[in-house]
Amino acid sequence: MNPIRIGILGYGNLGRGVELACAANDDTELVGVFTRRDPATVHPYGENVAVWPADELAAHTDDIDVLVLAGGSATDLPEQTPAAAALYNVVDSFDTHANIPAHFAAVDAAARETGHVAVISVGWDPGMFSVSRVYAGAIMPNGADYTFWGRGVSQGHSDAIRRIPGVVDARQYTVPVPAALEAVRSGANPELTTRQKHTRECFVVAEEGTDTAAIEEAIVTMPNYFADYDTTVTFVSQEELDRDHAGIPHGGSVIRTGTTGANGENTHVIEYSLKLDSNPEFTGSVLVACARACARMAAAGETGCRTIFDIAPALLSPLSADELRATML
Ligand code: NDP
């Protein structure tokens, strides 16, 4: 069987993760990377991987089976995914949860009109966490859902701190409160406020001579980002930040607790948990498994947009149906 020919649009952290995931799978081959920057400045790991300008997207439709979009959710993907779905079968990791229905509609229209398959909002959240929430809710109607994130770096919160005057650089970690996790895992079904579930730890490099107390105040009172959390701010040097906080770890747990029995006397706890050394490399791995499913759905003549809920598990796996029945059931 010929490998699935993959292209990547946007070569940041996630783009690199997608490239590594292509190399880790025998049935996928990365053909080329599209970038909006000068292609001469973008260097994929693979020597044979072409780098093309993003405005030549339409020129390689014969070379690529599935285009994986690795741009940012805030401004890149709302434009790039519908445009790319008019040319290619596509996969993206769009993670602005509230806007997923609108994004789905735009991508679905473009994919249907041109006969392509698009898979959107895959990764771990949305993605693998979403699958876990659906399975758990379907199995246990009498219960409650909990999602804890971290310990991990939140890029959005780190960016928000960097925009404060006097801040040179910053890293923000989201951390689950151990007591809250314990209470949920016990099956006690606690009602938890935002503040009770997570804390936020900020490591900040300030300009020399800046009023660090004012920066700290600006962080801990920032609405939507920090005001609803217990937030700690630690000022560090750029060297310390680069040395101790260079990685992009993340993870978390999706938990549903519920009861069965005539009087609800039996308690059950379902938990799906991730501990990721590298958020983009894990997310890239999910995207490539979904690219495999996307290629298979396209080969079967399907068109239109899909989310992780529409993809049967067997479509994600490199194993055949016989192998899956023999080894995974
Ligand atoms: P990056 O900021 O690293 O990359 C985003 C884009 O920025 C790239 O595609 C690249 O496009 C552009 N870019 C511009 N300048 C540079 C530069 N100097 N170096 C690298 N890239 C540059 O974001 P991430 O890759 O970390 O994340 C992308 C998105 O993935 C996030 O916005 C998030 O929405 C999503 N995500 C989803 C997850 C999920 O679970 N669903 C989990 C993790 C992330 P170009 O090459 O065209 O310049």
Side-chain angles (χ1 to χ4, degrees):
M1 271 256 295
N2 291 331
I4 302 162
R5 298 168 305 166
I6 305 281
I8 298 174
L9 173 54
Y11 196 72
N13 298 314
L14 183 57
R16 284 191 289 278
V18 172
E19 176 173 13
L20 293 171
C22 283
N25 284 282
D26 291 338
D27 63 341
T28 54
E29 176 193 9
L30 179 62
V31 176
V33 167
F34 294 95
T35 181
R36 291 161 296 183
R37 285 166 286 156
D38 175 358
T41 65
V42 170
H43 305 289
Y45 298 107
E47 284 170 14
N48 299 327
V49 175
V51 183
W52 298 304
D55 56 14
E56 289 179 14
L57 199 63
H60 297 279
T61 50
D62 289 341
D63 307 324
I64 291 168
D65 298 314
V66 181
L67 183 71
V68 178
L69 288 97
S73 287
T75 53
D76 295 342
L77 298 178
E79 284 185 15
Q80 288 179 336
T81 312
L87 298 167
Y88 294 92
N89 301 309
V90 297
V91 177
D92 84 13
S93 71
F94 184 74
D95 70 355
T96 313
H97 291 255
N99 296 344
I100 289 174
H103 187 59
F104 181 95
V107 176
D108 191 49
R112 274 187 200 288
E113 199 176 313
T114 52
H116 294 110
V117 175
V119 178
I120 61 153
S121 299
V122 291
W124 58 280
D125 196 2
M128 301 312 296
F129 274 14
S130 322
V131 173
S132 178
R133 284 188 280 260
V134 166
Y135 278 143
I139 294 164
M140 221 156 42
N142 297 320
D145 288 311
Y146 300 88
T147 302
F148 289 91
W149 294 276
R151 175 187 173 94
V153 172
S154 164
Q155 219 69 50
H157 287 77
S158 303
D159 289 345
I161 298 172
R162 279 189 214 105
R163 283 194 291 269
I164 296 171
V167 171
V168 177
D169 205 349
R171 264 291 145 104
Q172 193 274 172
Y173 296 90
T174 306
V175 186
V177 174
L181 256 176
E182 218 172 282
V184 169
R185 284 176 175 149
S186 77
N189 249 355
E191 280 197 23
L192 297 166
T193 62
T194 301
R195 191 177 296 277
Q196 286 169 323
K197 285 175 70 182
H198 296 96
T199 54
R200 296 195 179 277
E201 292 176 9
C202 312
F203 293 87
V204 181
V205 182
E207 264 170 34
E208 231 172 277
T210 319
D211 178 359
T212 52
I215 292 177
E216 179 166 351
E217 181 66 11
I219 296 172
V220 300
T221 58
M222 196 185 295
N224 301 323
Y225 284 86
F226 297 103
D228 295 336
Y229 298 85
D230 288 337
T231 301
T232 55
V233 179
T234 307
F235 289 94
V236 295
S237 66
Q238 186 73 57
E239 293 72 42
E240 285 171 306
L241 195 78
D242 294 344
R243 187 191 65 212
D244 302 333
H245 305 282
I248 316 178
H250 222 314
S253 301
V254 170
I255 304 172
R256 184 169 177 85
T257 61
T259 55
T260 61
N263 301 305
E265 65 275 26
N266 294 313
T267 299
H268 309 275
V269 179
I270 302 174
E271 178 166 354
Y272 178 80
S273 160
L274 293 171
K275 292 174 198 68
L276 312 175
D277 268 357
S278 165
N279 179 0
E281 289 179 16
F282 180 83
T283 303
S285 303
V286 179
L287 287 168
V288 169
C290 290
R292 176 183 295 121
C294 182
R296 288 171 172 172
M297 290 188 283
E302 296 184 30
T303 62
C305 191
R306 305 284 185 276
T307 70
I308 196 76
F309 300 145
D310 309 307
I311 300 176
L315 287 178
L316 295 166
S317 175
L319 301 180
S320 70
D322 282 342
E323 288 168 322
L324 285 174
R325 280 189 291 272
T327 60
M328 294 284 172
L329 277 178

